[in-house]
Amino acid sequence: MNSNSLQKLNGEICIICDLKKSTGIHLYTSFICVDCEKEMTNTQTSDPKYQYYLEKLRRVKNPPLYS
């Protein structure tokens, strides 16, 4: 069993809610759970949560550096 299979069985950490979830999408090198994806796509731009999601999504653009 490879590491990708193990990650899917154990789940991955969502970059929005920071919880371990088993289903979601990969955006570049980041994982977004299905719940957060639905919440983001249904949020109006006038909602204060919209700004929160933008801040979280900025982490996708700047992946962490590993030394």
Side-chain angles (χ1 to χ4, degrees), residues 14-19 32-33 35-37 39-40 43-60:
C14 174
I15 64 160
I16 305 298
C17 65
D18 296 318
L19 298 174
I32 300 173
C33 71
D35 299 329
C36 288
E37 177 191 6
E39 183 92 17
M40 286 189 304
T43 300
Q44 298 295 319
T45 56
S46 58
D47 189 325
K49 280 198 268 183
Y50 183 79
Q51 193 62 37
Y52 168 79
Y53 293 134
L54 285 179
E55 291 299 319
K56 289 289 193 167
L57 287 171
R58 282 191 177 98
R59 293 195 292 179
V60 173

Side-chain angles (χ1 to χ4, degrees), residues 3-52:
S3 63
N4 283 343
S5 297
L6 289 175
Q7 270 187 329
K8 292 191 188 317
L9 289 175
N10 295 327
E12 296 180 68
I13 303 294
C14 174
I15 64 160
I16 305 298
C17 65
D18 296 318
L19 298 174
K20 187 180 267 193
K21 303 283 184 96
S22 59
T23 56
I25 61 170
H26 287 95
L27 183 60
Y28 189 51
T29 58
S30 302
F31 175 76
I32 300 173
C33 71
V34 173
D35 299 329
C36 288
E37 177 191 6
K38 277 185 192 172
E39 183 92 17
M40 286 189 304
T41 57
N42 292 322
T43 300
Q44 298 295 319
T45 56
S46 58
D47 189 325
K49 280 198 268 183
Y50 183 79
Q51 193 62 37
Y52 168 79

